[in-house]
Amino acid sequence: MRIAIDAMGGDHAPQSNIDGALAAAVEWNDIEIILVGDQAQIEPLLNGREIPSNFSILHASEVIHSNDEPVKAVRRKKDASMVVAGRMLKEGRADAMISAGNTGALMTTGLLVVGRIDGIERPALAAMIPTLDDVGVIALDLGANMDSKPQHLAQFGLMGSLYRQKVQGIAKPRVGLLNVGVEPGKGNELTKEAFPLLQEMPIHFVGNVEARDVMTSNCDVLVCDGFAGNILLKSIEGTAGAMFSLLKEQFSQTFKSKMGAALLMPQLKGLKKKLDYSESGAAPLLGLSSLVMKSHGSSDGNAIKNAVKQTRIALENELVPSISKEISGK
């Protein structure tokens, strides 16, 4: 299994990508890691480190930055690390790619370089949202498409259901539609029209789901348009961050509260880990003809290693061929 990693994407690139890629290559000898990026920046960071035989570097001279306009960047920067990795998928030189870079540019690379599965109108970014029972809910779309049509949401439901079956082993995933109320007639025109289309899909559709219930495990797959989904994700991340800031402030006020914090430290660390994005690693862009994984822009080495872990499982379970087969009916 050949996995290309965009070495130059992300807030802590290339260091975090190098650390994660090396750790993954050591951990799993049934994969081949190809780190795509500027050799002049990568090689000094490898000095003195043991390089496994299943690890290599492919030079790419350009970088797509977070403030670049996605379509222009992908079209003009032909030798950007992200674009080169995408071209490797298109040409069959890699089986999957991972990037922590510009989300819009990665989506554009997926559409213009890698290509969609026949029958899929819009790929979707599918990220894991933590739940109280630690199972999590996969939500899509979380930002790849700001505007969606009802038929797009129906396809998101099918792709999300297949992801949970193939990658995470859930036999009959419950698929819910993000809405302002649980009643079938609630919502805007998009959700009202998407509801019956999801009912017709070969999935276990459980109806509308409210945002306040997402973390209580009332569904395994949450369907939404990219605008609402991205707001939901950022709201959860922001709330978690604010909650830990408040706890830190409260626990540091008095000697007694500091003692209490010391006693509760194992539980607090467990709670923080439960809400930590780096544990899930990456979100797949479902609907593309090859496997493309998006890591969080702030990913550290551990997050990149976990992204490789997810990618490896998805490749082993033939996620992309399964979606293609379901969509085409062949």
Side-chain angles (χ1 to χ4, degrees):
M1 293 179 281
R2 299 161 300 171
I3 301 172
I5 298 178
D6 171 15
M8 313 310 294
D11 300 340
H12 308 299
Q15 183 70 68
S16 60
N17 298 314
I18 292 169
D19 293 343
L22 280 174
V26 170
E27 181 81 16
W28 300 289
N29 59 15
D30 59 348
I31 60 173
E32 179 187 344
I33 298 288
I34 306 115
L35 201 58
V36 184
D38 184 1
Q39 273 185 306
Q41 292 188 55
I42 295 170
E43 288 182 344
L45 298 173
L46 292 173
N47 286 340
R49 302 176 71 167
E50 185 176 346
I51 308 301
S53 60
N54 57 337
F55 176 93
S56 61
I57 301 169
L58 179 65
H59 178 65
S61 62
E62 295 178 292
V63 179
I64 293 178
H65 300 286
S66 59
N67 58 350
D68 282 346
E69 199 285 313
V71 176
K72 286 182 181 177
V74 171
R75 285 180 169 161
R76 292 176 181 176
K77 295 184 176 181
K78 302 291 186 184
D79 201 42
S81 53
M82 184 186 293
V83 177
V84 172
R87 206 155 51 236
M88 291 175 71
L89 296 189
K90 184 68 175 179
E91 296 170 357
R93 292 184 288 140
D95 303 303
M97 72 170 283
I98 299 168
S99 177
N102 184 318
T103 302
L106 186 61
M107 178 67 171
T108 303
T109 298
L111 289 171
L112 299 184
V113 181
V114 180
R116 292 173 295 175
I117 292 172
D118 288 340
I120 293 291
E121 294 187 33
R122 292 279 183 90
L125 185 64
M128 187 66 71
I129 292 176
T131 55
L132 298 179
D133 62 359
D134 292 334
V135 175
V137 54
I138 190 114
L140 67 167
D141 177 29
L142 290 187
N145 310 280
M146 289 298 108
D147 298 293
S148 297
K149 295 178 181 178
Q151 61 267 31
H152 300 157
L153 297 193
Q155 289 189 343
F156 295 168
L158 177 60
M159 292 191 294
S161 181
L162 286 168
Y163 182 82
R164 296 233 70 171
Q165 288 178 52
K166 295 291 181 180
V167 178
Q168 294 165 340
I170 298 177
K172 194 178 180 182
R174 299 161 297 159
V175 180
L177 176 64
L178 182 64
N179 214 324
V180 296
V182 297
E183 299 84 1
K186 284 289 183 80
N188 55 14
E189 291 305 310
L190 174 63
T191 55
K192 286 177 183 176
E193 291 180 34
F195 192 97
L197 298 181
L198 283 160
Q199 287 180 309
E200 295 168 7
M201 281 284 175
I203 58 177
H204 180 35
F205 181 54
V206 296
N208 291 328
V209 171
E210 292 189 64
R212 65 184 178 187
D213 299 321
V214 168
M215 296 182 74
T216 61
S217 305
N218 60 353
C219 65
D220 302 301
V221 178
L222 182 69
V223 174
C224 49
D225 65 278
F227 184 78
N230 195 266
I231 290 174
L232 172 69
L233 181 65
K234 298 291 173 58
S235 297
I236 291 172
E237 287 180 346
T239 301
M243 182 180 71
F244 282 107
S245 294
L246 286 170
L247 285 171
K248 186 176 181 180
E249 181 185 316
Q250 292 296 315
F251 280 131
S252 61
Q253 287 185 351
T254 67
F255 176 74
K256 282 186 177 180
S257 63
K258 288 177 182 177
M259 290 296 291
L263 291 170
L264 289 171
M265 193 57 68
Q267 287 76 20
L268 291 172
K269 284 183 176 179
L271 179 60
K272 190 172 183 180
K273 185 176 181 181
K274 187 190 287 271
L275 298 173
D276 188 359
Y277 70 86
S278 71
E279 293 300 315
S280 58
L285 269 171
L286 299 178
L288 297 174
S289 59
S290 293
L291 187 60
V292 176
M293 303 288 282
K294 172 67 177 77
S295 285
H296 199 289
S298 300
S299 291
D300 57 13
N302 183 56
I304 297 299
K305 180 185 175 184
N306 281 328
V308 174
K309 179 182 178 181
Q310 271 185 284
T311 304
R312 179 174 170 270
I313 294 169
L315 288 172
E316 281 183 330
N317 290 280
E318 300 185 332
L319 174 64
V320 172
S322 297
I323 292 174
S324 181
K325 183 179 179 181
E326 194 69 44
I327 292 296
S328 66
K330 296 179 183 178

